Amino acid sequence: MILNRPRRLWGHTLYLVGTRAPSGEHVIVITTHAPEQALEDYRQRWQTECL
């Protein structure tokens, strides 16, 4: 789910993107750009972090 418009938070314009992981946990990503790509970018980064 992507909120339909950017939000102002602490003086910054941000997009909030969320989903539910297969484990049932909520995943919320906050980004300044490309909200449509944010979850895929996060998924790739998390795989790298877990190495």
Side-chain angles (χ1 to χ4, degrees):
M1 175 181 190
I2 301 172
L3 291 182
N4 60 351
R5 60 182 174 84
R7 309 293 179 172
R8 295 277 302 165
L9 185 63
W10 298 303
H12 301 278
T13 301
L14 304 169
Y15 293 92
L16 302 172
V17 182
T19 191
R20 189 179 302 242
S23 65
E25 295 177 311
H26 294 282
V27 177
I28 298 172
V29 177
I30 300 171
T31 184
T32 57
H33 66 284
E36 302 82 13
Q37 185 64 30
L39 289 175
E40 180 59 31
D41 291 347
Y42 178 79
R43 186 176 298 120
Q44 288 178 6
R45 180 182 172 115
W46 186 248
Q47 287 176 343
T48 302
E49 293 286 334
C50 291
L51 288 176

